[in-house]
């Protein structure tokens, strides 16, 4: 038993966190280009501070990132050296359509991704493409206010039509929206939403969510129509809530927090809003527009597989005293410290068994194949004098998670298509904008201030992962 023969081992990145070249070759401005480094980052990501262009007071890590745009050949060669079977990446919407809805695409943008896909093909690496990874064109925010406007569905459809047609035969695996449930927590990042004063924020968020869900379903239908070989997945920021105690109030609280996340996947996987979702919106005073045509789209556009990111589980309580013990790492999704778990340097609580629990829950709920498209450890690596990096903590984290995955396949029988760990090469952190929070097997010489040669080097974990892939997950030592 063990991992299936065709298991897709690899790594995952996102355009804005690695490409750089933010204004080259005709690329337009996107949300991720204006999210600054430093203390304003969260305010902008949450849509409570306006930043629709760049200013001199802030720095913007996405502008250069790790310069994958110019170095993709070198980086893909390193992925190939590790034996990658797949590489998850995202498309920058404004590289293809600078204003988000241009009739004719930007040729340079089309060409760049074609070159990347061709390069991957050279090494037999299957691309897994996220169409939208926290990436809304600024021009569409100015025109429509982002995803709160229904017209975004057409703009996204147009983008998808271009991608599915241009890259037919080169790309088979697609994801519609990265961590779609993050929309509720980081509305600007997730949906290009900037709240106006006095605006009903819940109404705006759920309106945008409804639009993204319809857009996602229409994209699935379109992908299948253009090429029946296409396989399209949804993408959930997973990690279950544990009740802090067995007090039923805590259990109920955890159950409901999980539902905030399943709200999205239930629709994408089952093709309709569940009853409780309508009740939840009613309670929030929210109403969404859902025509018969929308309902048909949702029904016909269900996903082929369930992709998700998993870094940690979360713990929740209803006790005011316990709630004060906030987990530092869960600034976006609020949680309390779980006393049974250790945490990363950034306070993300490490819980390998939680991955098995997540896989089982998702499979019980949807009965569709799973794809773990993000998992990894952000850490502050030390470069030794001879240039080596001994990141045994990263190996330890990944080993424990992959071991658990093996049990999930062997003992629970859950179909899992692949595993793309997050950030095989160091890149810009989405939550903090730091370079210092490194996930990679490949080190990139660049610091938080943007200084460094951008040279790449292999960490100890590079050789470990290479062995893991070569033995199809049998040798994890
Ligand atoms: C997920 C995002 C990624 C990635 C990852 C790690 O939420 O999909 O873009 O960055 O988390 O998070 P961070 O970079 O904040 O450490």
């Amino acid at each position: 038993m063990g991992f299936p023969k065709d298991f897709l081992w690899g790594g995952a990145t996102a355009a804005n966190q690695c490409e750089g070249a933010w204004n080259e070759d005709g690329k337009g401005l996107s949300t991720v280009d204006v999210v600054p480094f430093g203390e304003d980052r969260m305010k902008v990501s949450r849509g409570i501070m306006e930043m629709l262009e760049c200013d001199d007071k802030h720095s913007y890590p996405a502008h250069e990132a790790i310069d994958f745009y110019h170095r993709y050949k070198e980086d893909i060669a390193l992925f190939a050296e590790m034996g990658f079977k797949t590489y998850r990446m995202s498309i920058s919407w404004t590289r293809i359509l600078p204003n988000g809805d241009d009739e004719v695409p930007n040729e340079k943008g089309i060409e760049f991704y074609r070159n990347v896909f061709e390069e991957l093909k050279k090494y037999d690496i299957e691309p897994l493409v996220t169409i939208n990874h926290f990436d809304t064109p600024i021009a569409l925010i100015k025109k429509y206010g982002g995803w709160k406007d229904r017209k975004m569905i057409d703009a996204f459809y147009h983008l998808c039509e271009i991608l599915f047609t241009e890259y037919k035969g080169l790309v088979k695996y697609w994801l519609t929206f990265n961590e779609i449930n993050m929309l509720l927590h980081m509305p600007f990042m997730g949906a290009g939403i900037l709240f106006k004063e006095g605006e009903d924020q819940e109404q705006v968020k759920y309106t945008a969510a409804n639009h993204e869900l319809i857009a996602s379903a229409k994209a699935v239908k379109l992908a299948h129509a253009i090429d029946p070989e296409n396989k399209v997945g949804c993408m959930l920021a997973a990690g279950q809530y544990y009740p802090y105690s067995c007090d039923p109030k805590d259990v109920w609280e955890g159950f409901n927090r999980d539902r905030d996340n399943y709200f999205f996947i239930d629709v994408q996987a089952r093709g309709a809003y569940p009853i409780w979702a309508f009740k939840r919106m009613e309670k929030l005073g929210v109403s969404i527009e859902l025509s018969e045509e929308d309902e048909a789209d949702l029904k016909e556009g269900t996903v082929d597989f369930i992709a998700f990111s998993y870094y940690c589980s979360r713990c929740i309580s209803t006790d005011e005293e316990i709630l004060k013990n906030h987990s530092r790492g869960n600034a976006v999704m609020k949680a309390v410290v779980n006393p049974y778990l250790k945490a990363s340097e950034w306070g993300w609580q490490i819980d390998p068994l939680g991955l098995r629990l997540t896989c089982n829950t998702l499979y019980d709920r949807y009965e569709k194949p799973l794809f773990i498209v993000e998992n990894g450890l952000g850490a502050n690596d030390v470069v030794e004098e001879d240039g080596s990096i001994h990141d045994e903590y990263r190996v330890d984290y990944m080993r424990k998670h992959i071991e658990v995955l093996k049990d999930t396949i062997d003992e629970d029988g859950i179909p899992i298509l692949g595993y793309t760990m997050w950030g095989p090469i160091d890149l810009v952190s989405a939550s903090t904008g730091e370079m210092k929070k490194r996930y990679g097997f490949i080190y990139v010489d660049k610091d938080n201030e943007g200084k460094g040669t951008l040279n790449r080097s292999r960490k100890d974990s590079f050789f470990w992962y290479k062995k893991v892939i070569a033995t199809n997950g049998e040798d994890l030592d």
Side-chain angles (χ1 to χ4, degrees), residues 380-441:
N380 191 4
D381 294 328
V382 178
V383 186
E384 305 295 335
E385 265 180 35
D386 64 355
S388 57
I389 296 148
H390 305 305
D391 55 341
E392 67 287 341
Y393 36 87
R394 183 166 293 110
V395 168
D396 185 57
Y397 177 100
M398 298 202 49
R399 177 188 295 125
K400 288 185 175 135
H401 284 79
I402 294 174
E403 257 163 18
V404 159
L405 213 51
K406 213 170 175 178
D407 294 342
T408 310
I409 292 171
D410 279 348
E411 292 174 29
D412 308 328
I414 301 211
I416 298 178
L417 299 173
Y419 174 87
T420 56
M421 56 75 69
W422 176 252
I425 182 163
D426 293 344
L427 35 64
V428 175
S429 154
S431 57
T432 68
E434 289 168 290
M435 268 308 295
K436 206 173 83 177
K437 191 180 185 193
R438 299 173 183 277
Y439 285 86
F441 300 132

Side-chain angles (χ1 to χ4, degrees), residues 258-270:
D258 281 335
R259 273 190 162 174
D260 285 341
N261 299 323
Y262 300 140
F263 176 92
F264 295 84
I265 311 304
D266 279 8
V267 181
Q268 289 175 297
R270 295 168 166 165

Side-chain angles (χ1 to χ4, degrees), residues 348-377:
W348 294 24
Q349 291 205 280
I350 301 170
D351 178 15
L353 189 55
L355 176 59
R356 184 168 176 184
L357 198 67
T358 299
C359 288
N360 275 276
T361 306
L362 291 177
Y363 193 69
D364 280 357
R365 208 172 171 104
Y366 306 120
E367 292 190 327
K368 296 200 184 220
L370 307 179
F371 206 139
I372 293 102
V373 295
E374 285 185 35
N375 172 242
L377 180 74

Side-chain angles (χ1 to χ4, degrees), residues 145-158:
W147 279 94
K148 67 181 162 194
D149 195 312
R150 186 168 261 273
K151 295 197 193 72
M152 288 297 287
I153 300 174
D154 294 336
F156 186 75
Y157 192 81
H158 176 51

